[in-house]
Amino acid sequence: MEPVKKIEEGLKELYDTNVGKVERQPDVDIYDLGDNIVIYVDLPGVKKENIKVRIYDRAVEIVASPTQDGGGKPVRRERISNFPVSRKIELPYRLRVDSARAIYREGVLQIVVTKAGEYGVAELKID
């Protein structure tokens, strides 16, 4: 057997035995709209009820569980909906957790959260 074919078969076997154990990180775009932060998360094929969004004071976390099999023995599985998904996004702002909202349409999760202000270090003038 030629070496490349042997490597491909080994990788396929490793991949097939670890489906459901490997987490994936979805692609994101983040926009600062002044008072709000808008985050777009690509989750094609993931069912809305399998997505959880948590808002922290300075971070947003997205977790999605895999969609059930399509039946039969999988030959190849690459879609993000076949894997547990997890991503925590740290932001340079404090967030108002009570203002956050999320919408899921056409495989894209949109999260809008209001900023509560920047954090960092400030040097104060003493009066």
Side-chain angles (χ1 to χ4, degrees), residues 3-21:
V4 174
K5 187 80 168 163
K6 194 172 188 176
I7 291 171
E8 285 177 351
E9 286 182 6
L11 288 173
K12 183 184 179 312
E13 182 181 331
L14 178 66
Y15 179 84
D16 288 343
T17 57
N18 286 298
V19 167
K21 299 175 188 171

Side-chain angles (χ1 to χ4, degrees), residues 25-107:
Q25 284 197 350
D27 293 330
V28 299
D29 288 337
I30 304 171
Y31 296 94
D32 184 341
L33 301 180
D35 291 338
N36 294 317
I37 295 290
V38 178
I39 303 169
Y40 295 97
V41 185
D42 287 341
L43 294 171
V46 177
K47 293 182 179 179
K48 181 171 90 170
E49 56 271 11
N50 292 353
I51 302 170
K52 291 193 182 346
V53 178
R54 293 184 185 94
I55 307 294
Y56 300 94
D57 61 343
R58 292 185 173 103
V60 175
E61 182 179 39
I62 300 101
V63 177
S65 55
T67 305
Q68 296 299 319
D69 292 13
K73 182 180 180 204
V75 175
R76 188 172 191 139
R77 296 179 64 184
E78 295 181 3
R79 297 178 335 138
I80 200 163
S81 62
N82 293 321
F83 298 88
V85 173
S86 179
R87 181 138 188 198
K88 189 168 186 178
I89 303 162
E90 302 286 336
L91 296 165
Y93 306 101
R94 289 182 300 122
L95 303 173
R96 292 193 46 200
V97 297
D98 60 338
S99 72
R101 61 189 188 279
I103 302 165
Y104 184 63
R105 283 195 191 109
E106 299 178 10

